[in-house]
Amino acid sequence: MTAGGLAPAKAGAVEFEAKITPIVILSCIMAATGGLMFGYDVGVSGGVTAMPDFLEKFFPDVYGKTQDPNLNSNYCKYDNQSLQMFTSSLYLAGLVATFFASWTTRNLGRKPTMLIAGVFFLVGVVINAAAQDLAMLIVGRVLLGCGVGFANQAVPLFLSEIAPTRIRGGLNILFQLNVTIGILFANLVNYGTAKIKGGWGWRLSLGLAGFPAILLTAGALLVLETPNSLIERDRLDEGKTVLRKIRGTDNIEPEFLEIVEASRMSKEVKHPFRNLLKRRNWPQLAITVAMQIFQQFTGINAIMFYAPVLFDTVGFGSDASLYSAVIIGAVNVVSTGVSIYSVDKVGRRMLLLEAGVQMFFAQVVIAIILGIKVKDNSSDLHRGFGILVVLMVCTFVSAFAWSWGPLGWLIPSETFPLETRSAGQSVTVCVNLIFTFVMAQAFLSMLCTLKYGIFLFFSAWVLIMSIFVVFLLPETKNIPIEEMTERVWKKHWFWKRFMDDNQEVAAPGTKADHSLKNGHSNGLDPASQL
């Protein structure tokens, strides 16, 4: 999730000389802890909301429903707007913080933006762990959300700019991998703290978020600023020095000149959001918005947020449900690794289509099992069917983790031309957080209303998005960013009709045409580089 900056594309698919230096590896590991923090926040909320002591203190109405067999309703006992606000407030705050983070990323740099995120995280963790009432709890979550907004802007951008070209894609997915590790870490912590007697286990769960927060803050203090950011802010000599240090070679002049020229071209675009609305950018904009909406309507965040609640609902019990959530977290981590290995081998479309079949099948099976075996007032699910539910959820999560999870971010970052890349990524972040908030706020109410039908609802969306991939999503595997328009959009059966006005962008002899010839364009005419 990135906006507010510039990551220059390779010029004419030329790979600049660069070694994988220890400082690059260390910097990427430290920066990627921003994903660890985000993942922990996602995972911990579902775990603590399954803890009776936490519910009793902050959500007594929900606690009463879970304890009173006369009022117990499997699908509705967690339906509470305040409980949903506890989770979704983080994403609403992240959405607002995104706009501020976009400015700081561009004007102050990637490193200060990560430091701001770390401070927000630390303060939010302290307030959450010490919360005495619901208002204090929500304030802590809002501050954590601000940290998410700043971290998710700066960290992926930092990774893409600091890494050598040949491993840039893998390091971008490294951020998503750290998100999944954070979720697994949160699930393990929740499983342990749920066993603590005395009613303070939830405080430990929320407080241990300080661990990745400290790592991110320390990392922000230790890492170097990216050369792209320094050059973008006219600190050319410093930028060249940093570039030489991170590349491990003195032959950095071609890449340095590329960054300088790309930065100059970026500054000439005074209104990137206005450019984004031009007809020639509609295909990329449509793909970006659709990918973010579809990513949320797979139902993944609903399952990950409330996995413990979900398993408790179908009769596993609080302890067993947390154990099941740990299994899901592990599947998520391993499957994201599959994506890192295969995304540049089998292609984006193949991963998305295979996952569509797998997710559709899993959700339909879950809906059938719950529809037959879990009635609104039933208190138990047969062990065999319970295990089958867990297996189907793992099947669903694994498919998502190697498809819509990482590719929902990777594909939009590949498609926008240079002049609108920053604005396009801002749209990506905003749309994603809006629909994440909507899904987090609405899921428990939807579960109460639709019951097992909620999985049929999500499976229908999986079918729709798979049809979208078949007909409207082009393959971008192994295609340089600057050649996307010529080799992808102009050749696509549907989107090519929006490319008719490209000549106005790079008329012969104009400044834009000169930029194209030097390999610094948005990829409209790569052939002119010859």
Side-chain angles (χ1 to χ4, degrees):
M1 300 164 76
T2 171
L6 172 68
K10 295 180 289 183
V14 174
E15 187 171 307
F16 300 113
E17 182 178 340
K19 299 176 183 177
I20 302 176
T21 58
I23 192 170
V24 166
I25 299 300
L26 180 62
S27 296
C28 290
I29 291 173
M30 297 300 289
T33 56
L36 191 67
M37 184 72 219
F38 182 34
Y40 189 89
D41 284 333
V42 170
V44 77
S45 58
V48 296
T49 53
M51 297 181 185
D53 295 320
F54 178 82
L55 292 176
E56 185 178 15
K57 184 173 181 63
F58 297 106
F59 307 98
D61 291 343
V62 178
Y63 178 75
K65 291 179 182 179
T66 61
Q67 299 300 310
D68 188 347
N70 296 321
L71 298 175
N72 188 30
S73 171
N74 273 329
Y75 289 107
C76 298
K77 60 186 177 182
Y78 291 101
D79 181 19
N80 181 276
Q81 287 299 308
S82 296
L83 181 60
Q84 290 173 122
M85 180 57 70
F86 164 71
T87 295
S88 59
S89 58
L90 183 145
Y91 304 97
L92 186 61
L95 172 63
V96 176
T98 293
F99 297 101
F100 297 96
S102 178
W103 184 89
T104 61
T105 302
R106 178 180 289 273
N107 293 282
L108 301 182
R110 288 53 161 155
K111 180 176 176 176
T113 304
M114 289 191 292
L115 183 60
I116 293 171
V119 172
F120 271 124
F121 281 138
L122 287 172
V123 177
V125 167
V126 171
I127 293 177
N128 261 356
Q132 298 299 318
D133 53 38
L134 182 59
M136 193 173 176
L137 196 68
I138 297 297
V139 168
R141 290 288 288 181
V142 167
L143 290 174
L144 290 174
C146 292
V148 166
F150 278 83
N152 287 8
Q153 291 281 2
V155 172
L157 186 61
F158 177 92
L159 293 175
S160 68
E161 291 177 345
I162 207 81
T165 301
R166 64 183 181 274
I167 60 171
R168 183 173 294 161
L171 285 175
N172 273 326
I173 296 183
L174 178 65
F175 179 77
Q176 177 72 16
L177 179 64
N178 271 270
V179 172
T180 63
I181 292 173
I183 294 173
L184 175 60
F185 178 44
N187 289 336
L188 289 169
V189 168
N190 286 334
Y191 180 67
T193 57
K195 299 178 180 296
I196 295 176
K197 306 298 181 182
W200 56 272
W202 61 269
R203 292 191 187 277
L204 185 58
S205 286
L206 297 178
L208 283 176
F211 174 67
I214 291 172
L215 287 179
L216 176 61
T217 306
L221 291 171
L222 295 174
V223 299
L224 297 170
E225 181 61 275
T226 70
N228 307 66
S229 177
L230 293 169
I231 293 169
E232 192 173 31
R233 290 178 285 132
D234 298 321
R235 296 160 63 177
L236 301 185
D237 291 339
E238 192 176 347
K240 179 179 282 190
T241 301
V242 171
L243 186 61
R244 185 178 292 110
K245 183 179 294 186
I246 64 175
R247 294 296 179 249
T249 177
D250 290 327
N251 184 25
I252 48 93
E253 198 66 21
E255 184 174 4
F256 174 74
L257 294 176
E258 172 79 1
I259 297 173
V260 171
E261 178 65 8
S263 178
R264 184 189 66 79
M265 290 294 297
S266 176
K267 290 177 181 178
E268 288 184 0
V269 179
K270 301 300 182 184
H271 304 287
F273 284 96
R274 189 180 301 171
N275 278 5
L276 197 61
L277 297 177
K278 290 184 178 180
R279 177 181 172 86
R280 65 177 178 269
N281 291 318
W282 287 1
Q284 299 95 317
L285 189 61
I287 292 294
T288 291
V289 173
M291 290 292 288
Q292 302 313 305
I293 294 174
F294 287 154
Q295 187 188 67
Q296 298 309 308
F297 277 85
T298 58
I300 184 62
N301 277 345
I303 288 178
M304 297 306 293
F305 291 156
Y306 302 110
V309 173
L310 176 65
F311 288 124
D312 189 32
T313 292
V314 298
F316 275 56
S318 179
D319 186 60
S321 67
L322 286 171
Y323 182 72
S324 301
V326 170
I327 296 175
I328 292 173
V331 170
N332 199 14
V333 172
V334 173
S335 299
T336 303
V338 172
S339 179
I340 293 175
Y341 174 78
S342 60
V343 66
D344 289 317
K345 291 181 170 59
V346 303
R348 284 71 161 148
R349 279 169 52 90
M350 180 61 70
L351 284 176
L352 290 170
L353 291 173
E354 186 282 331
V357 174
Q358 193 169 322
M359 290 190 294
F360 181 83
F361 171 77
Q363 288 178 322
V364 170
V365 172
I366 292 172
I368 292 173
I369 293 173
L370 298 188
I372 295 175
K373 292 295 182 179
V374 179
K375 306 303 179 184
D376 203 30
N377 295 316
S378 66
S379 58
D380 192 25
L381 181 69
H382 188 275
R383 179 176 176 81
F385 285 107
I387 293 174
L388 184 56
V389 168
V390 174
L391 289 176
M392 287 298 102
V393 170
C394 288
T395 300
F396 171 85
V397 170
S398 65
F400 176 87
W402 64 56
S403 61
W404 287 96
L407 299 185
W409 297 108
L410 177 61
I411 291 174
S413 73
E414 294 176 327
T415 57
F416 283 103
L418 180 62
E419 65 186 35
T420 57
R421 194 165 300 150
S422 173
Q425 293 291 5
S426 294
V427 170
T428 300
V429 174
C430 290
V431 173
N432 185 273
L433 287 176
I434 287 171
F435 281 90
T436 302
F437 168 78
V438 169
M439 190 55 60
Q441 187 66 22
F443 174 71
L444 290 178
S445 297
M446 292 170 62
L447 180 64
C448 179
T449 303
L450 299 176
K451 299 180 172 56
Y452 64 88
I454 193 169
F455 291 98
L456 296 177
F457 171 82
F458 288 133
S459 66
W461 274 99
V462 169
L463 180 61
I464 292 170
M465 64 187 72
S466 297
I467 294 173
F468 176 88
V469 170
V470 169
F471 292 104
L472 295 176
L473 184 69
E475 179 60 71
T476 56
K477 179 187 71 170
N478 295 334
I479 298 176
I481 295 175
E482 72 275 6
E483 298 180 21
M484 283 292 175
T485 299
E486 194 69 30
R487 293 174 57 180
V488 174
W489 303 112
K490 281 187 176 182
K491 296 183 182 299
H492 191 272
W493 72 274
F494 180 77
W495 299 122
K496 65 182 180 181
R497 69 191 67 188
F498 297 96
M499 298 290 111
D500 296 339
D501 63 345
N502 284 335
Q503 293 303 315
E504 71 182 48
V505 182
T510 64
K511 183 183 293 185
D513 183 54
H514 174 74
S515 300
L516 282 167
K517 293 176 182 178
N518 285 279
H520 304 299
S521 79
N522 53 17
L524 296 177
D525 188 14
S528 68
Q529 295 176 23
L530 298 175

